Each structure stands twice: as structure tokens, then as C-alpha cells.
Amino acid sequence: MTGDGEELSVRMARFVAAEEVSAPPSRVDPALAVRRGRAVLRRRSWSVVAAAAAAAVLAAGSFTLLGGNGDGWDPSARPTDRGAGWPAPVPGHTVLTVPARFGWLPAEVTEVEFRSSSAGVEVVATGAGPHFTLTAFPVGVTPLVDPLLGPGDGVRVDAPPVNGQEAYWMTSSDPGFARTLNLLRFRGPDGRWFQLDSTGLAEADRQQLPLRVATGVVMGKYTPPMPVAFSSLPAEAVVTQASLRRTVGGSDLWTARVGLQERGGHAVTVSAVPEGPGQATLPLRDTGLCTSGKGMRWCVDELHPASDEQSKLQVWLTRVVPRGADDREWSVDVLP
């Protein structure tokens, strides 16, 4: 696209925004829709990097979410040697890797989730109020300020350095849209750019809380151990998504998922939760199958069922190896 074309698209977007002022009220939140749309486009552009990261050889580390002192969550608050006995990842055997993970989080955060899919790789922290999403730009890529954010121009506003490294806020020249946007970009010590998207914050916390969370981010590739593995897989099966969500403080609840695809359209999802009170509900279609053991419950579900006997859910269920509810028995080695 030429420079004139880009300028025309910006003018057209502003014209549409101006015309919508006099239109009847809409049930759609345009600012939220734009943010979600831009997030999808950004994640799609990073999908190749995400796929490569998910299959990389990475150093394993312990994954223990510990309660803090009421002022927030700090994973170093109680030392743990749980990671000492876990096997190192084997090339191609891991399914979930992130480029960084949270350190300090405010006390309101109740869950942290690592997830990877064709849309990208991210770490998400959620709670009754605040919601933080941590993503990374590809190594060597310097992010640009979008020329158009909502009805206004994209604006870069310098932020205080994060751990001595360059940082800035992404915002919009349109005040209304700027109130819905809270994106902090900051460099890691190796020069890689990260982005922290924050929502659900009180006005007084919109800057100081994200800056404190960003300061505590632990840089470096990390592969969380998983509670399930596979004894075998069809030769053509590929991993399409993986996630691990765990609670912060209180009851140790978790949900793990691994999605695979074979023979084109046949998609299988393996989900697991701890067995007992408070466990999460696993979404299943009418054809889903479940079983339990070792203090956990796991299920297999499918989309576009296949006719091949080796692709039946009964067979897929036998391929799942439960590691158990005790996270000391989990492993980063998931694939056979």
C-alpha cells in the first residue's frame, strides 16, 4: 500500500467515526471491539513465532503459585525446591512455552494462565478486578505506534524506565478511546520488547500498578510442567493449542488443556482438572469421554469426528497419561 493509500484510509476512518456520532446508540462498545480486533491481528502476525516457541528446547523451572503477605503475590516469597526433581525438556516433547512470566502481582489476582495457540503466546493474570495480559514481540522487532487508535491518532507517551530499560504507554489522541486503553510497552535486558495490557483498574492505579507488575516480570523462556502426557500419538497429529491455569493462594485449583489435530479437520482436546470439591467444569460436547484417577479427572473431546478406528475418542482416552494431582509429579515432557 502506498503512503497516499494509508493516508486515505486514515481519513476514511475519521470520516466514519464522525458520522457515527449522529447515529442511533449501538449495543456494541466500539473501543472494546477495536482493541479486540487489533489484538487478533497482532497475534496472527506473531503466530509463526508462537508456533516455533512452542516446539523449542527450553530449560524447565518449577511452577508454584504461592500466597503473599496481603500486599500482593510474589513467587519468591517462599523458597521451593520442587523443580529439582523434574526432568529437563526433550526436543519436541514440550507443548507450552512462554517468553516470560509474572513475578509480583496485586493481591486481587486469583488466577494465572499460560496459553499458546495459533493466535499467539501469552500469560494472563485475572482476579475480581484487575486483569493483566503479558505478551512479547519477536526477538529483534521494534514495535511501531499504530497511526490510528480509535477515532484518534496513536500516541506514544514516555513512561518511567522498567528495571532501567526503555518503556512507554500506547494511547490515543481521542480522550474517550484513551480512557479504555492501558498498554505499557517495555524492553527486557536483552532488548526484546514486551507488552502489558491492563484492564479493570481504578483510575488511581492505571499507571502505578502496571509499572510495578512490569518491574516484577521474570524474563526468559519458561515451560510450565503439565499434569498430563501422551503415551503415543498418530503420526500425523500436531499440537494446535495448550494452556495451564492455576489459582493464586487458597485452594490449589488448576485446569490444563492440550489441543491436537489429525487428518485435517479432526480436532481433539484433552482437558484435566483436580478431582473433588471446587474443581472446574470441563466443557464437553455430547460425544466427549471422561475418566479419573490419581486425584484428577481428564476428558477427551472432538470436533469433526473421524471414521478411522485409531481416531476414536475411546482410543484417544487410552493415550492420555495422568501425572496426578500432586504438581511434584508433573513434567514438561508431554509428547511421546
Side-chain angles (χ1 to χ4, degrees):
M1 181 180 291
T2 67
D4 291 341
E6 292 176 351
E7 183 180 355
L8 176 60
S9 67
V10 172
R11 291 202 304 270
M12 287 298 295
R14 287 175 174 158
F15 173 79
V16 171
E19 289 297 313
E20 287 178 345
V21 172
S22 59
S26 171
R27 296 181 180 180
V28 177
D29 183 339
L32 182 60
V34 170
R35 291 184 65 187
R36 288 176 175 170
R38 290 186 180 277
V40 169
L41 289 175
R42 182 176 66 249
R43 290 166 186 162
R44 285 176 180 170
S45 68
W46 301 345
S47 60
V48 174
V49 176
V57 183
L58 303 165
S62 61
F63 178 61
T64 307
L65 298 179
L66 302 172
N69 57 8
D71 185 40
W73 171 64
D74 183 347
S76 63
R78 299 181 198 166
T80 176
D81 60 358
R82 287 188 171 188
W86 286 335
V90 180
H93 288 220
T94 60
V95 295
L96 178 60
T97 294
V98 295
R101 61 192 189 275
F102 289 115
W104 182 89
L105 286 167
E108 293 83 2
V109 168
T110 56
E111 292 184 343
V112 172
E113 180 178 12
F114 300 107
R115 58 194 185 202
S116 175
S117 69
S118 60
V121 179
E122 57 189 10
V123 187
V124 180
T126 58
H131 182 119
F132 303 99
T133 301
L134 177 66
T135 53
F137 288 87
V139 175
V141 171
T142 300
L144 301 176
V145 176
D146 292 343
L148 184 67
L149 279 179
D153 296 316
V155 178
R156 168 180 168 147
V157 177
D158 289 341
V162 173
N163 295 322
Q165 301 293 325
E166 181 182 4
Y168 67 90
W169 301 98
M170 270 285 295
T171 186
S172 171
S173 62
D174 177 71
F177 191 83
R179 282 193 292 270
T180 72
L181 194 65
N182 212 55
L183 295 179
L184 175 66
R185 289 178 177 171
F186 56 99
R187 281 185 185 270
D190 61 353
R192 186 173 189 176
W193 280 96
F194 292 84
Q195 179 167 292
L196 183 66
D197 188 354
S198 309
T199 60
L201 300 179
E203 188 63 30
D205 296 332
R206 287 191 63 190
Q207 291 196 359
Q208 66 96 5
L209 266 186
L211 284 168
R212 187 173 179 186
V213 170
T215 299
V217 167
V218 181
M219 308 289 183
K221 293 177 180 178
Y222 173 67
T223 301
M226 297 286 280
V228 293
F230 295 92
S231 60
S232 64
L233 288 175
E236 68 278 12
V238 295
V239 177
T240 58
Q241 61 174 307
S243 66
L244 177 65
R245 183 174 72 245
R246 298 190 72 173
T247 53
V248 176
S251 301
D252 184 17
L253 301 179
W254 47 266
T255 303
R257 287 190 174 85
V258 179
L260 305 102
Q261 186 168 330
E262 61 167 337
R263 300 185 186 279
H266 185 219
V268 176
T269 301
V270 175
S271 306
V273 294
E275 198 169 27
Q279 72 176 29
T281 301
L282 295 175
L284 287 175
R285 299 178 181 85
D286 294 339
T287 55
L289 296 177
C290 297
T291 189
S292 60
K294 302 184 69 172
M296 57 184 287
R297 177 177 175 81
W298 64 97
C299 303
V300 291
D301 202 356
E302 66 183 350
L303 185 65
H304 307 308
S307 58
D308 185 351
E309 286 299 318
Q310 291 303 307
S311 297
K312 298 293 187 182
L313 282 189
Q314 293 88 341
V315 177
W316 272 99
L317 196 62
T318 65
R319 293 182 174 125
V320 179
V321 179
R323 299 287 190 186
D326 187 343
D327 61 6
R328 291 173 294 186
E329 303 298 324
W330 296 4
S331 174
V332 298
D333 197 1
V334 177
L335 302 181

